[in-house]
Amino acid sequence: MKSTSETGHAKNLANFQQLITFCTELGADYNPSRQELKLTEIKKMYTNASNSVTQYNQNYPVYTNAVSERELLFQLLNKLTTRIINALRASAAPAPLIENANTLVKKIQGRSSSKKSATASQQDVASEPVPGAEIAVEPPAKKNSVYQMSYDSRLQNFDKLIKLLASITQYAPNEPDLKINALESYYGQLFSKNNAVVSAYTVLNKIQ
């Protein structure tokens, strides 16, 4: 049967406060031999814990907002890279160069015939740290995915794709957003949003 008891830091703090109240009411009868269990010390522990929760709650929206903004921007990447490879195929670029670009596009989009690999890829994407019950959030174990679908890997492969396109003289699309300077600008935005998530996560993870 699933437990219906309330859990989490707020509940732990409330229970800790009740314990301190109980110890206080005992008066002289509460006289532990260990220094760290004395009333003054456990009150300090409560204050520190309460401050940490407050600090965490203040910084948590910064992290979640950064994650949402990054996700929205990255949602455009798959369609954009599909248009890129279609434009390259429509050009007179040599077949080997097109194939090289297509390989990078597949990595960016996470396309593969292996169902097992797809599952691994989804786990890799889901490995983004989402703070919950713990104040000091531990980064999840990284998964080795043939799709390389982590945000860092997608950024790296997109950067490689842009540099490859820049070296192909036949790649000269008419669409403004497919031109090299536009792709570099979009990459810069992706890079900035990803860094914002990393920075916000680092702040959360340092809260003790």
Side-chain angles (χ1 to χ4, degrees):
M1 181 178 179
K2 185 177 180 180
S3 173
T4 57
S5 60
E6 185 180 355
T7 60
H9 290 305
K11 183 62 176 178
N12 291 338
L13 278 175
N15 290 338
F16 194 18
Q17 188 174 39
Q18 288 180 2
L19 177 62
I20 292 173
T21 300
F22 177 75
C23 293
T24 302
E25 291 174 351
L26 288 177
D29 290 335
Y30 182 74
N31 187 27
S33 58
R34 294 173 57 181
Q35 178 63 28
E36 64 267 26
L37 295 180
K38 293 186 180 299
L39 194 58
T40 54
E41 295 302 315
I42 61 175
K43 284 182 177 180
K44 289 179 183 177
M45 291 173 59
Y46 174 81
T47 299
N48 291 337
S50 179
N51 289 341
S52 291
V53 170
T54 298
Q55 186 180 0
Y56 183 94
N57 291 342
Q58 289 174 341
N59 286 278
Y60 183 68
V62 178
Y63 171 77
T64 56
N65 290 342
V67 169
S68 297
E69 291 174 7
R70 181 182 67 175
E71 180 64 24
L72 286 173
L73 194 60
F74 266 83
Q75 284 178 0
L76 307 174
L77 187 55
N78 279 12
K79 287 185 178 180
L80 179 66
T81 50
T82 295
R83 292 174 58 215
I84 288 172
I85 197 63
N86 287 340
L88 185 59
R89 284 171 176 157
S91 72
L97 295 182
I98 295 176
E99 184 56 34
N100 290 342
N102 192 45
T103 297
L104 290 171
V105 168
K106 286 181 179 180
K107 288 182 178 180
I108 294 167
Q109 297 182 352
R111 288 190 282 120
S112 172
S113 59
S114 170
K115 188 174 182 180
K116 181 178 180 180
S117 296
T119 302
S121 169
Q122 291 167 0
Q123 290 173 342
D124 196 21
V125 175
S127 69
E128 186 62 47
V130 179
E134 297 300 327
I135 294 178
V137 184
E138 293 294 333
K142 293 296 183 181
K143 304 291 183 180
N144 289 324
S145 169
V146 296
Y147 282 159
Q148 302 180 48
M149 285 293 283
S150 73
Y151 288 100
D152 289 339
S153 293
R154 295 184 77 194
L155 273 172
Q156 184 180 36
N157 286 316
F158 187 43
D159 186 40
K160 289 179 181 178
L161 178 62
I162 294 172
K163 288 179 170 57
L164 175 60
L165 294 172
S167 72
I168 302 175
T169 57
Q170 294 87 350
Y171 181 75
N174 293 322
E175 298 89 337
D177 61 334
L178 297 185
K179 295 183 181 297
I180 299 299
N181 60 345
L183 297 180
E184 290 174 339
S185 175
Y186 177 51
Y187 170 82
Q189 295 175 50
L190 293 174
F191 187 85
S192 177
K193 294 296 183 183
N194 190 54
N195 274 356
V197 173
V198 173
S199 297
Y201 168 75
T202 300
V203 171
L204 286 182
N205 202 41
K206 287 182 177 179
I207 298 174
Q208 301 295 333

